[in-house]
Amino acid sequence: MARRRIGVFVCHCGNNIGGVVRVPEVVEYARRLPNVVYAEGSLYACSQEGLSSMKEKIAAYGLNRVVVASCTPRTHETLFRNTCEEAGLNRYLFEFVNIREHCSWIHMHAPDEATEKAKSLIKMGVAKSCYLEPQEELESEVCPEALVIGGGVAGMTAALNLARQGLKVRLVERGKQLGGLLSEVNKLFPANREAKEILDPLVEGVKNHPLVTIYLGSEVESVEGFIGNFKVRIAKVEEEIKVGTVIVATGARELKPIGQYGYPTMANVLTQLELEERLKEGVDEWQSVVMINCVGARVADRSYCGRFCCLVSMKNAILIKEGNPQAKIYILHRDVMASGVEAERYYRRAMELGVRFIRYDPENPPQVLGDGRVEEVKVYHALIGREVILPAQMVVLTTPLVPQADNERLSKMLKVPLGSEGFFLEAHLKLRPIEFATDGVYLCGSARHPSDITESVSQAYAASAKAAIPMREGVVRAEAITAFSQESLCNGCGNCLWVCPFGAIELRDSERRGQVAGVNAALCKGCGCCVAACPNGAMQQRGFSDQQLMTMIEALAEGV
Amino acid sequence: MASDDQPTILVFACNWCSYAGADLAGVSRLEMPPHCQVVRVMCSARVRPEFVIAALSRGLDGVVVLGCHPGDCHYSEGNYYTRRRALLLKGLLEYVGIESERFQLRWISASEGAKFARTITEITDAIKALGPNGWRQPPPEG
């Protein structure tokens, strides 16, 4: 084995790591590890200064392996690999050690143990890095067509944005028409314009664009493949469709609060969306309306805030109040969420028009009184400290959007995760908010979490812009973590072939050894199933070889 | 056990679900015992049973394999192989006279940061209760 010259860069991440783990001590420890010729601490390894220093040290110390101990490879591996490459080192001669998410952040009150654990993790990373080899990435073509699942405002915006860049789009909508949830909405805050003023041009734009193929009343039945080359089957459609990227824009639905506040048995108890349906026909001369916010939101089994429901209640209160200034309108809330310039102004407008906001306590919730239909609502008024009885010709329940019932089916089909509430879970809340960890699959709108029109449109632009990158580049490079067979060790048993989920392995005739396994690297996705199944150690995985993993185990066991 | 009666536990976590779940535990600042070291693999099915045996025979007190929930595997079927291997491996460990509880397989999704923290805490407690790993091979002489 050629002489290893390893450099270790330990990140303080400001106080995130340095506030718990004693970084200078860890750097000293790393410096004394076998084959380490240089070690330094860095305030922020990912900053310009940190990266420049790394490049300088690679040159100055002739480093041929680089270990960075900082945050998670899921967000920062590409950055550090690129830095190695810029310094003339193959990007696969880099090893990541996670001492933030997996150490300082979870052992904040145990600095001694966290420091020792960081040392141990770095020791394992350094040990593995000795066995890293330069790798070449395989390029594959990207089909310049996208699948957009969901024809609501997010899906249509994403589809149109891609089509206008010259890319073909297949837009699949489950409903009989385009529009999604927006087609049920009456008017939109904060300008109180009709929803169809926004919706109609969008629908027309999508329908008339020659590059968009629309499948109405259709559902995606199966998706197979990977970035650049997804094979999609749509129910009731004969042909198999090939696309390069997939955008999930399946939206959400309004919670129907069955069994709460007399819904749906009491005739005059509605949800906000049901109210909007009636408002479309014109504002009735309602004399008294009580709205109850946070119904089914911010409760034990649904902990999230619906984000814009408060504004929906204000909007409909304003519309009714404008129709009949004498109407008594009460909004019973837990907290008013109206952040941002426009929303705050809207909130004030509602109050100026005379809409009354009364805070209720979820421990002592409002009660609807009446027989068959609600006549009055009783609520404990926290500010005046006693119960009040409010007249209620109509009660409107403000409920959050909830995930689509079949999100799980789609998440399994696309191999992308759902969050604990059942919405789709992005790769990273801040750094990769509209894409999945799975390459080539993107996300926008209320499928991700309840989003208003503004947010859905912005996310759709973002998702379509991201999806356009590989399609415009035309090629993607696959991470070089594929399996390979060492023919001299293979006895041709075929275990690897049976366990491979991608059909990437075949038995080939070899001149000296009969049949041996061979891997088609273009099909291999790098799971390593075959490696663990190989009885001879003939099958190995780049970046995760037996030797690399075993040396980590040995490094950890050494101190025991 | 390593020192002060504290165990050393090796954790293999698959890149797509469990490693992300462990990251989420960190982002959520969930505290847990500091005796687990996570090694990232792309799929739980990459974990060769020999790794578990090697780790335990070298004196580590426990090995945990974490994968996506059944049906959620990024590679479709990897975790099913893991499940079958784990079953056999547990039997083998018992056969050679080592507590099979020292090897654990759990499913943790990308959104289950809290489950990661809970799992690590529970397993650490269980392995502490077992005491030091008696299967440790004597160090080479000389």
Side-chain angles (χ1 to χ4, degrees):
Chain A
M1 194 159 76
R3 176 104 170 84
R4 299 301 190 229
R5 298 183 62 82
I6 302 171
V8 181
F9 299 82
V10 185
C11 183
H12 287 257
C13 194
N15 230 18
N16 283 301
I17 295 170
V20 179
V21 170
R22 293 188 295 272
V23 172
E25 186 184 322
V26 173
V27 171
E28 275 314 304
Y29 170 85
R31 189 169 286 145
R32 291 195 300 273
L33 288 169
N35 298 309
V36 172
V37 296
Y38 180 77
E40 72 172 27
S42 177
L43 187 57
Y44 287 101
C46 61
S47 67
Q48 266 319 315
E49 294 78 26
L51 298 175
S52 308
S53 169
M54 204 177 295
K55 282 190 269 190
E56 281 165 26
K57 301 307 174 344
I58 290 172
Y61 290 85
L63 303 179
N64 56 22
R65 301 289 183 281
V66 171
V67 175
V68 174
S70 58
C71 47
T72 171
R74 290 173 54 85
T75 56
H76 281 70
E77 187 168 60
T78 306
L79 176 71
F80 293 127
R81 277 183 171 172
N82 289 348
T83 305
C84 290
E85 205 164 61
E86 285 162 24
L89 210 58
N90 182 282
R91 59 195 288 112
Y92 287 88
L93 298 175
F94 165 78
E95 180 63 19
F96 212 121
V97 178
N98 183 337
I99 58 167
R100 191 180 72 175
E101 280 83 347
H102 293 188
C103 188
S104 66
W105 274 354
I106 56 173
H107 310 310
M108 293 184 100
H109 296 97
D112 292 338
E113 287 91 341
T115 302
E116 290 310 310
K117 177 169 167 176
K119 288 180 189 171
S120 173
L121 286 166
I122 290 171
K123 185 184 180 192
M124 292 160 77
V126 165
K128 180 183 176 187
S129 77
C130 289
Y131 293 98
L132 294 176
E133 293 295 337
Q135 306 292 350
E136 291 303 320
E137 290 178 342
L138 208 67
E139 282 192 351
S140 59
E141 278 187 28
V142 178
C143 166
E145 259 183 68
L147 168 71
V148 177
I149 311 176
V153 65
M156 285 192 293
T157 304
L160 204 52
N161 196 37
L162 287 168
R164 285 179 177 157
Q165 295 179 66
L167 295 158
K168 279 192 185 172
V169 182
R170 311 280 187 154
L171 178 61
V172 180
E173 165 56 42
R174 170 162 46 192
K176 295 265 180 290
Q177 57 184 22
L178 294 171
L181 205 53
L182 187 54
S183 53
E184 295 175 44
V185 174
N186 172 35
K187 291 187 179 181
L188 303 174
F189 59 78
N192 290 359
R193 282 169 58 189
E194 303 252 341
K196 48 191 184 74
E197 284 180 48
I198 296 217
L199 193 56
D200 290 352
L202 198 51
V203 172
E204 287 310 305
V206 172
K207 274 187 180 165
N208 295 332
H209 203 292
L211 292 178
V212 182
T213 310
I214 303 170
Y215 300 85
L216 287 178
S218 301
E219 286 197 63
V220 176
E221 213 167 53
S222 71
V223 178
E224 277 171 17
F226 43 87
I227 183 169
N229 188 14
F230 289 104
K231 293 185 178 69
V232 181
R233 291 217 83 102
I234 298 169
K236 293 178 280 181
V237 175
E238 276 292 311
E239 50 159 357
E240 185 181 75
I241 291 160
K242 195 182 147 193
V243 297
T245 58
V246 179
I247 295 179
V248 177
T250 47
R253 61 202 163 91
E254 184 191 46
L255 173 71
K256 299 293 177 199
I258 307 290
Q260 295 195 65
Y261 303 107
Y263 183 93
T265 46
M266 303 272 223
N268 56 344
V269 179
L270 310 176
T271 67
Q272 291 286 357
L273 212 49
E274 289 161 358
L275 169 65
E276 302 223 358
E277 202 54 51
R278 291 180 54 172
L279 288 174
K280 281 183 187 172
E281 290 146 27
V283 179
D284 286 335
E285 292 282 302
W286 284 302
Q287 297 304 317
S288 56
V289 178
V290 175
M291 297 186 178
I292 306 175
N293 287 5
C294 277
V295 176
R298 303 164 71 215
V299 292
D301 55 353
R302 195 176 297 101
S303 58
Y304 61 90
C305 164
R307 284 176 68 87
F308 54 80
C309 342
C310 282
L311 288 162
V312 171
S313 67
M314 288 174 205
K315 172 184 72 180
N316 290 333
I318 289 172
L319 290 175
I320 296 171
K321 196 76 182 167
E322 283 175 347
N324 174 17
Q326 303 310 313
K328 291 185 188 307
I329 313 217
Y330 303 92
I331 294 181
L332 312 186
H333 65 89
R334 284 169 59 190
D335 296 293
V336 174
M337 304 289 185
S339 59
V341 178
E342 289 292 347
E344 178 67 16
R345 206 177 282 154
Y346 204 62
Y347 180 22
R348 286 176 184 278
R349 186 169 146 207
M351 288 194 284
E352 282 159 13
L353 282 172
V355 176
R356 297 292 170 84
F357 289 81
I358 299 175
R359 187 182 198 138
Y360 73 89
D361 178 359
E363 299 292 317
N364 184 13
Q367 290 172 38
V368 290
L369 310 173
D371 190 17
R373 53 185 296 124
V374 179
E375 306 289 344
E376 291 169 323
V377 174
K378 185 163 83 173
V379 61
Y380 180 79
H381 193 309
L383 284 181
I384 60 175
R386 65 177 173 82
E387 274 182 349
V388 291
I389 306 257
L390 308 171
Q393 209 181 352
M394 174 167 66
V395 170
V396 186
L397 305 180
T398 314
T399 58
L401 293 189
V402 293
Q404 300 285 12
D406 60 350
N407 276 2
E408 195 171 328
R409 187 183 69 92
L410 194 59
S411 93
K412 285 187 194 313
M413 193 191 296
L414 292 168
K415 306 288 170 209
V416 296
L418 296 180
S420 51
E421 304 284 1
F423 291 102
F424 285 92
L425 183 69
E426 67 283 321
H428 190 283
L429 184 61
K430 289 182 183 140
L431 302 175
R432 298 176 66 191
I434 47 81
E435 58 197 305
F436 290 105
T438 303
D439 289 336
V441 191
Y442 309 85
L443 173 65
C444 57
S446 292
R448 176 175 166 247
H449 57 55
S451 305
D452 65 18
I453 307 304
T454 314
E455 288 172 325
S456 294
V457 168
S458 332
Q459 291 175 23
Y461 282 143
S464 52
K466 273 272 184 183
I469 296 171
M471 293 194 287
R472 298 309 295 255
E473 284 189 341
V475 289
V476 281
R477 276 163 291 279
E479 197 182 354
I481 51 170
T482 47
F484 62 97
S485 157
Q486 306 169 97
E487 290 193 2
S488 60
L489 296 175
C490 178
N491 65 3
C493 72
N495 275 359
C496 51
L497 184 144
W498 296 322
V499 298
C500 177
F502 305 100
I505 302 174
E506 55 183 14
L507 290 177
R508 300 167 181 161
D509 288 323
S510 137
E511 277 181 26
R512 291 160 59 191
R513 297 181 57 86
Q515 288 216 308
V516 293
V519 179
N520 179 347
L523 295 178
C524 174
K525 295 286 117 202
C527 58
C529 280
C530 58
V531 188
C534 177
N536 284 14
M539 197 59 86
Q540 289 299 332
Q541 184 182 6
R542 297 177 173 90
F544 297 92
S545 70
D546 283 350
Q547 200 170 34
Q548 288 165 348
L549 294 171
M550 200 62 101
T551 191
M552 293 178 92
I553 297 170
E554 278 164 2
L556 177 61
E558 234 171 47
V560 175
Chain B
M1 300 205 175
S3 58
D4 310 325
D5 293 329
Q6 298 304 334
T8 304
I9 300 166
L10 173 66
V11 181
F12 289 104
C14 86
N15 180 66
W16 302 98
C17 293
S18 311
Y19 195 91
D23 278 357
L24 181 61
V27 172
S28 318
R29 310 295 199 278
L30 303 176
E31 299 220 23
M32 63 196 91
H35 316 299
C36 287
Q37 321 270 333
V38 174
V39 169
R40 186 173 68 107
V41 285
M42 295 310 286
C43 180
S44 61
R46 171 63 189 92
V47 180
R48 202 180 247 288
E50 288 93 317
F51 293 162
V52 179
I53 294 167
L56 294 175
S57 68
R58 281 165 176 74
L60 296 185
D61 298 294
V63 181
V64 184
V65 175
L66 304 176
C68 305
H69 285 267
D72 289 356
C73 176
H74 183 76
Y75 303 104
S76 303
E77 55 206 52
N79 51 2
Y80 295 136
Y81 296 123
T82 308
R83 185 161 64 183
R84 281 190 238 167
R85 284 190 192 122
L87 208 62
L88 286 172
L89 183 56
K90 273 192 172 282
L92 178 69
L93 291 174
E94 288 289 347
Y95 178 75
V96 300
I98 177 160
E99 304 95 331
S100 64
E101 295 92 330
R102 293 194 186 276
F103 165 62
Q104 296 286 344
L105 169 65
R106 298 292 167 87
W107 312 127
I108 291 176
S109 80
S111 64
E112 291 177 331
K115 187 179 176 191
F116 176 80
R118 207 167 55 238
T119 303
I120 292 301
T121 306
E122 280 169 14
I123 292 179
T124 306
D125 289 347
I127 287 174
K128 269 187 185 175
L130 284 176
N133 173 7
W135 201 40
R136 183 175 185 174
Q137 304 297 296
E141 294 198 14

